[in-house]
Amino acid sequence: MRIENPKFNLELLKRLLHISAPMPDRIQIEITNRCNLNCAMCPKKFYNLPNENMSLDRFKKIIDKLDGVNLILPVGWGESFVHPEIDQMINYLRKKNKEVKIATNGLLLNNEKLIKTALKTDSLTFSLDQIDEKKNHGESAKIIANIKTILKRRGKKKKPYITIQPVLFKNNKDVLDVIRLASRLGVDRVNIIRPYTKFDKSIGNTWEERKEIYKEVEKLSEKLGLRVDMFEYSSFSGIKRLAWKYGKGIFRLNDWCPRLYDFAYITLDGKVTPCCALPRHIVGDLTKQTIKEIWNSKKMQAFRKNHKKICRDCEVLKIK
């Protein structure tokens, strides 16, 4: 988006003043909480979520109520490609002219049907924290093989946009190797995220430790010519990257979560919450209300007013 665009300037001003958008522009839908992995660091087990799929019929009814919402992320606290009707869901999103982004562990993208489904998306983010590429039967080796397949099959059209996303755990020595791998593979971006430490503080690094890693990452990404985003340090590209790195403090991120501006999360049963990290903090019900009614409801307004207390353990509110 060009900086001289009046709409961009108005949006920027509203974000600076912490005025939320009139409607959410990004919605994440919990199509399944089932997963083919059981990662030790995943907080899912602490949320006591039902291990179920959303029905295709309910999914379509939800999408029909999201006119005006551009970006849909059909991802819950599970693996989206586990859902037996994921292809029909993405077809319906395409029919409704929605932008589709999915985060995946990538292990299931080794059969023709799911490969074709994945290629219908606008963006695929692969979770990859460690590399055992030489171990032919290791999980990461299988994920890497599947990333290669998707990259080859998408060809020159560069769609879907491919991101590899490692988590910066305590003592994770593989982040730089993941970036080198991403460069060799020819993916579009690496996005380094922090672990969710609400339930286990021991898995996170201190800010000083992270900052030293980020500096190494930045040098390596410049050397390789690969975009690497680190939300709390440096993100985006070009002039926006410089503006974010040195000017993000003006957004007072430790006082206002950026998701409050334009994001909502929808649960298996059609309930609406402000965030995936609050999967049962219900502010509305799409089976009875419109998304606009929920977005401007008293419950949502109360959450915005009190979210700093509710979300005090969230890493987003600890941006330096």
Side-chain angles (χ1 to χ4, degrees), residues 64-250:
D64 289 344
K65 287 197 168 188
L66 299 182
D67 287 341
V69 178
N70 296 316
L71 173 58
I72 303 295
L73 299 91
V75 180
W77 282 101
E79 168 56 46
S80 296
F81 290 100
V82 164
H83 200 298
E85 296 172 306
I86 182 65
D87 189 66
Q88 294 97 310
M89 288 178 166
I90 292 178
N91 286 342
Y92 199 70
L93 291 172
R94 296 262 68 108
K95 179 181 176 181
K96 293 287 185 173
N97 296 315
K98 304 295 187 184
E99 183 180 356
V100 184
K101 294 187 177 183
I102 291 184
T104 175
N105 59 46
L107 281 170
L108 298 178
L109 300 184
N110 59 356
N111 70 74
E112 186 61 19
K113 181 179 178 181
L114 289 181
I115 289 170
K116 286 182 176 179
T117 299
L119 290 170
K120 296 175 186 177
T121 65
D122 295 285
S123 176
L124 279 175
T125 295
F126 290 86
S127 299
L128 183 65
D129 301 318
Q130 297 176 325
I131 299 173
D132 58 1
E133 195 173 3
K134 293 181 181 179
K135 299 177 183 178
N136 294 330
H137 301 291
E139 285 179 354
S140 66
K142 295 175 184 177
I143 296 168
I144 292 166
N146 294 344
I147 294 173
K148 289 178 179 178
T149 298
I150 296 294
L151 286 167
K152 182 178 180 181
R153 291 285 295 273
R154 77 171 185 175
K156 295 180 180 180
K157 66 178 182 177
K158 296 290 184 178
K159 187 177 179 180
Y161 186 87
I162 304 297
T163 296
I164 290 180
Q165 184 166 276
V167 182
L168 189 59
F169 294 108
K170 184 78 172 178
N171 300 321
N172 184 357
K173 306 295 185 182
D174 284 2
V175 169
L176 296 176
D177 287 337
V178 170
I179 294 170
R180 293 186 186 99
L181 170 71
S183 179
R184 292 197 302 272
L185 293 177
V187 304
D188 302 299
R189 169 179 174 258
V190 172
N191 183 43
I192 300 173
I193 63 173
R194 291 168 293 164
Y196 191 55
T197 60
K198 178 179 180 179
F199 304 110
D200 185 356
K201 307 294 184 188
S202 69
I203 61 176
N205 296 282
T206 66
W207 162 243
E208 292 302 322
E209 289 170 335
R210 294 196 303 273
K211 187 165 65 172
E212 290 306 308
I213 295 171
Y214 291 152
K215 288 177 180 178
E216 289 187 65
V217 165
E218 195 162 48
K219 290 178 183 177
L220 180 60
S221 66
E222 288 176 1
K223 178 182 176 182
L224 297 173
L226 175 66
R227 176 177 165 181
V228 181
D229 286 341
M230 305 155 277
F231 180 73
E232 68 172 340
Y233 185 75
S234 186
S235 293
F236 309 109
S237 58
I239 192 170
K240 287 177 70 175
R241 189 175 187 88
L242 288 173
W244 182 254
K245 183 176 180 180
Y246 297 107
K248 59 181 172 290
I250 63 177

Side-chain angles (χ1 to χ4, degrees), residues 46-64:
F46 296 103
Y47 289 128
N48 194 30
L49 301 176
N51 218 23
E52 299 173 2
N53 295 327
M54 176 183 285
S55 71
L56 178 60
D57 181 62
R58 174 168 286 167
F59 178 81
K60 288 181 176 180
K61 288 178 179 177
I62 287 171
I63 298 304
D64 289 344

